[in-house]
Structures are given as structure tokens and as C-alpha cells.
Amino acid sequence: MAFRIIRASPPHWSKHTLKQSPIATREILSGELSGLQIGIGRYARRAYGFDEVALVPGGVTLNPDEVDITFSMGDRFKLELPFWASAMDGVVDVEFAIAMGKLGGVAVLNLDGVHTRYEDSRPVIERIAAADKSTLNAVLKESYREPVKPKLIAERIKQIKDAGVACAVSSVPAKAEERAEIAQKAGADVFVVQGTVLTARHSSRSYHQLSFDELVRACDIPVVVGNCVHYETALELMETGIAGILVGVGPGAACTTRGVLGVGVPQVTATADVAAARDEHMRRGGMRVAVITDGGMRIGADAVMIGTPFAGAEESASKGFNWGMATPDPNLPRGTRVHVGTRATLKEILLGPARVDDGSQNFAGALRSALGVCGARDIAEFQHVEMVIAPSITSEGKALQQAQHVGMGKS
């Protein structure tokens, strides 16, 4: 594919309605209006994460069994549950992807991971899980030195599809073009291009730049890209024809990007900004692009991508461990291995019944109940629920739980 430059669009006004409140883009606002002064001549917006906000119950409540929590990307890809398992080797292997698909969600297989490098990846996963902290980075780097094998990519996809479930796969941008062709021929349903931060415009003199426009045109299956946290960037990516976008830089439990690079945006603000870009894109006549929050969901997202909670499933590849996709990077690791232990079956985590009281099981039931008490009939309506800034929402009135380490006071 030929290298080409995508020119930036001229400045524009945009409005996004959340409870009928207009939000102007940052490129229009002067520094004094866009945020708080943090130094002479420097201003910053206040951004919010999931621990700082809460949803307001609606004036009408609904039967949770009668709300709709299905997910779709156009007419080509639909799920019973809006839950994606992230493309992390400690979580998703072929067996986990099949189990996830049979329960109504989808698991993304990492095409740059150990499962496409080794015929039998189980000993490799066990070696990473067993490594002590002093040798972990060396074990990870050694494990990922084995090259990815195109033959294994096709085999893994075929194994998942032969089980009769949806198959989603993920590639780094540098390998996306060649792997998209292999994935399509093997029968994958969704192709994800994932990096720490992706933009529609990227400058480099030393390597070929991936064109998302051309990749989308070359794919007969939906293309999802990420990660992104910025309104204008999301809008440009959507204009390339992608079907979905991943939101989040560094919020994952196993990710250290925010600490290593010092970049990122708290997830509520990031998701609201990308959702605003989605709405503006639709106002301009574009198709609805699915917003998938990679690290939690309260408002604006159509689905959520989850990693570490699924690592605790009995079906997970590592049986209780997780590490970020950038953890094995030979030059600058931006992740770590975390241990969560084996806590429940995947069915209990997704569908219940919950055996614990901390919200770590029966995600679908919790989501249905949240829609019900907020009076939202589906996820689209849920995105317009009123919100309040509530940094103490998980601790207010919970002194006994915290003292006794039960419920919301568990460490």
C-alpha cells in the first residue's frame, strides 16, 4: 500500500447532548475557558474516572428482565452480552474464546501473543505464571522472542469458528495488513487493530504507515481500532470507516502506561469525549461507530472490554494471572503481571448466580439492574442517564465494611 498523508479537518463546532447539555470541542475554547489554571499560561481540563462519579436513579424504574443489553456493530456483528474479553495472553486462548462465545460475549485473541507463537502455549503460560518478581521480565521477553507463525493464526481462528462461536482477533498496527488477510481467509468475524495510542495520522520516515481507510476497504469484516481518548482523534478515526473504537489509555489493572509515559485520560471523561465524536460523526451522515470502553463502563459506551476480572475465571488461560499486551516489550515494558487467583467459573462471572457480595460476579445481572433503576430500556438510553460527581460513592456510610474487610471494604 502506498504511503499517503491524511490532512487535518478545519476547526469546527460540535455539540454532544448528555441531559441536553452542549459540550464544545477543546479546539474552539480559549485556555481560560477550557479548564483550570495550573501555572502561568497553562490550563488543564478537570477529567473524571469511574471512582469519582455515580449514576442517578430514574423517575421511572423498569423490570431488569425486560431491558435490552445486546450489542451490535451495524448488521454484521451482534452479541447477546456487551462484554469483550481483552486480547491478553493470560486470559484468552482458544478454549476461553469458545467458552466466552457460548455465553454470549466475545473474546479477542492476541495474534501477537504466545498462542500464535507456539504449537502448545500452555507450558509457556505456566512458566510466566510461576516466575518470581525478580526474573519475570526476563521470562516474558524470552517467551515472546519466538516468532509469530501465520499457520498458527489460521489454525487458532479455525478452532474457534469450528465451535460455532464468534471470533475476534487483534493485531498491532505494524502487522495489521498482512494479518487481516490471514484472519479473513480463516473465518474471523472481527479484526481489531490495537496499540497504546492510535491515530488516523501518524508520521514516520523509517517504516510504512498503516492506512485505516485502505485497511477498512480491504476487509469484509468489521474493523475495530484503539486505543483512543481524544475527541478530534476519535472523529478522524471514525471517518476512515471503522466499525468500532476502543477507549482507554492505561486504566487496566495490569497496565503501567500512565506511570511509565505519564499519559492518559480518566475513563469517564475519555469515554464521554469519544461518544461525543461518535454522535458528531453520525450528525455528519456517518454510520454509528461502536464505542467500546477498555477498562470500565458508566456512560457513553456501547460495550466494555475487560481483562483482569476474566483472569480469575476457571477457564482463563493462566488460571488466575494477567499481564498487559505491552508487558513483554523488549525496549520499554508498559505493563506488569498481576495475580488475581481463580475465583469463579466464567458463567458465574458473566451470568451468575453470584456467590459473593462485591460485584465481581454476574456482570450481566448487575448491568440489567443498573438499567432498570435508571429507567433505561437499552444501552443507548443508558448513555443519557444523569450523572453526579461522587468521589465518595464507594465509601460513604461503609465504615463497618471497611473495618471488617467485607463487601465494599474488601482490599
Side-chain angles (χ1 to χ4, degrees), residues 306-364:
I306 302 172
T308 298
F310 289 146
E314 292 178 6
E315 296 88 343
S316 75
S318 66
K319 303 296 186 292
F321 288 86
N322 194 25
W323 52 93
M325 295 173 69
T327 304
D329 190 294
N331 298 313
L332 185 65
R334 297 179 304 284
T336 188
R337 184 197 63 185
V338 295
H339 179 228
V340 297
T342 302
R343 299 178 176 180
T345 66
L346 183 58
K347 182 178 180 180
E348 288 172 328
I349 293 172
L350 284 175
L351 302 175
R355 294 185 285 107
V356 294
D357 55 10
D358 58 4
S360 63
Q361 296 173 14
N362 197 1
F363 290 171

Side-chain angles (χ1 to χ4, degrees), residues 178-342:
E178 62 185 82
R179 289 178 184 161
E181 183 176 358
I182 299 171
Q184 282 195 108
K185 289 181 179 178
D189 298 291
V190 177
F191 189 74
V192 181
V193 183
Q194 195 165 7
T196 301
V197 176
L198 286 191
T199 60
R201 291 175 290 136
H202 178 72
S203 176
S204 174
R205 295 180 180 179
S206 61
Y207 54 80
H208 168 68
Q209 159 62 8
L210 172 66
S211 166
F212 288 110
D213 304 70
E214 295 177 6
L215 179 66
V216 169
R217 285 197 296 270
C219 286
D220 295 325
I221 58 177
V223 175
V224 175
V225 306
N227 283 26
C228 177
V229 293
H230 185 253
Y231 174 93
E232 286 83 8
T233 302
L235 191 56
E236 286 191 345
L237 285 168
M238 292 174 186
E239 289 170 350
T240 67
I242 60 173
I245 188 165
L246 299 173
V247 181
V249 173
C255 184
T256 62
T257 296
R258 290 178 177 175
V260 174
L261 301 183
V263 301
V265 176
Q267 281 293 75
V268 168
T269 297
T271 303
D273 286 354
V274 174
R278 173 197 61 201
D279 292 352
E280 172 63 14
H281 178 64
M282 292 176 64
R283 189 191 68 79
R284 296 180 182 185
M287 69 175 187
R288 182 183 177 87
V289 176
V291 175
I292 304 167
T293 295
D294 189 359
M297 179 172 69
R298 287 293 194 282
I299 193 165
D302 301 290
V304 60
M305 179 171 277
I306 302 172
T308 298
F310 289 146
E314 292 178 6
E315 296 88 343
S316 75
S318 66
K319 303 296 186 292
F321 288 86
N322 194 25
W323 52 93
M325 295 173 69
T327 304
D329 190 294
N331 298 313
L332 185 65
R334 297 179 304 284
T336 188
R337 184 197 63 185
V338 295
H339 179 228
V340 297
T342 302

Side-chain angles (χ1 to χ4, degrees), residues 50-94:
F50 289 113
D51 293 336
E52 300 173 283
V53 301
L55 304 177
V56 177
V60 176
T61 55
L62 304 175
N63 181 347
D65 293 332
E66 297 175 5
V67 301
D68 180 7
I69 62 170
T70 58
F71 167 85
S72 64
M73 285 193 296
D75 297 326
R76 295 184 291 175
F77 186 74
K78 297 184 178 181
L79 296 171
E80 294 178 15
L81 301 176
F83 301 124
W84 295 52
S86 59
M88 293 183 171
D89 287 352
V91 178
V92 180
D93 57 9
V94 169

